[in-house]
Amino acid sequence: MALVKNTEILEHPLDTVEIVASLRDWTYERNETEVSILARGKWSDYQISVTWVDDFEGINIVCGFDLKFQNRHKDKILELVSSINNQMWLGHFDVWSDEGIVLYRNASLFNRDNISQDQLDNVMVRAVSSCDQFFPAFQYILWAGKNSNEALEAVLFNTEGEA
């Protein structure tokens, strides 16, 4: 989906985040420091938190999804996250063991005075697509009892052509 280019410099980078969320038809709320977004993905709805960090002139994105694991799955989840992160160029997955959750995280540096809708759209859509790509791997471990190698192979399997 191509976004409408905006040449006007907005007051705050989170204004641009709101525009991107609106154009994507994502539900969002904003306070002084962050925009909270509910984005529909292929496998789940994703809770995205976008904050602007003035000290670094950057956007911090945390994307959570509806997946909790019990302590008995912790080692397989940690191994899977490590394997996934080795495959990723932008962003990474994080495990919060005490809460039993997995999150996608990405911090990207931008020039506050020259940030575009396309740039923000790209990093936000990348968060959703990364979660969509790897969400089934976590389910394979939790619901199908697969090991991390089997789970990762299943989601990285590419088909060619059409049936």
Side-chain angles (χ1 to χ4, degrees):
M1 164 192 242
L3 295 177
V4 176
K5 297 232 189 283
N6 183 0
T7 57
E8 176 185 352
I9 301 298
L10 299 174
E11 188 71 25
H12 194 279
L14 292 181
D15 296 338
T16 308
V17 171
E18 285 183 288
I19 290 170
V20 169
S22 180
L23 290 171
R24 289 261 171 217
D25 201 26
W26 292 339
T27 304
Y28 66 93
E29 287 183 10
R30 178 174 173 184
N31 64 33
E32 289 182 28
T33 60
E34 80 175 309
V35 178
S36 297
I37 301 168
L38 179 64
R40 180 165 305 281
K42 184 176 180 180
W43 306 109
S44 179
D45 289 340
Y46 303 114
Q47 298 284 335
I48 305 172
S49 170
V50 182
T51 55
W52 174 260
V53 184
D54 270 325
D55 293 345
F56 299 104
E57 284 201 346
I59 290 286
N60 185 42
I61 296 176
V62 178
C63 186
F65 42 91
D66 188 20
L67 182 104
K68 281 192 78 113
F69 65 88
Q70 296 176 348
N71 198 43
R72 64 188 162 112
H73 296 113
K74 183 173 127 179
D75 290 341
K76 285 183 179 179
I77 294 292
L78 288 170
E79 186 178 338
L80 177 60
V81 165
S82 178
S83 296
I84 289 171
N85 287 342
N86 284 334
Q87 304 289 321
M88 298 185 71
W89 182 78
L90 185 66
H92 67 278
F93 284 91
D94 223 352
V95 176
W96 291 5
S97 296
D98 291 343
E99 292 83 3
I101 59 174
V102 177
L103 300 167
Y104 170 88
R105 298 175 57 103
N106 180 16
S108 297
L109 301 176
F110 292 101
N111 180 338
R112 179 187 180 121
D113 297 327
N114 197 19
I115 194 167
S116 75
Q117 286 179 11
D118 285 342
Q119 289 171 317
L120 284 175
D121 181 64
N122 190 16
V123 294
M124 292 165 57
V125 167
R126 174 78 56 188
V128 171
S129 66
S130 292
C131 291
D132 272 345
Q133 181 180 8
F134 294 108
F135 183 83
F138 295 107
Q139 288 188 314
Y140 289 148
I141 286 176
L142 299 178
W143 301 111
K146 302 291 184 188
N147 66 42
S148 64
N149 288 335
E150 293 170 320
L152 189 59
E153 284 176 14
V155 299
L156 293 179
F157 178 76
N158 290 322
T159 60
E160 292 187 24
E162 294 182 28

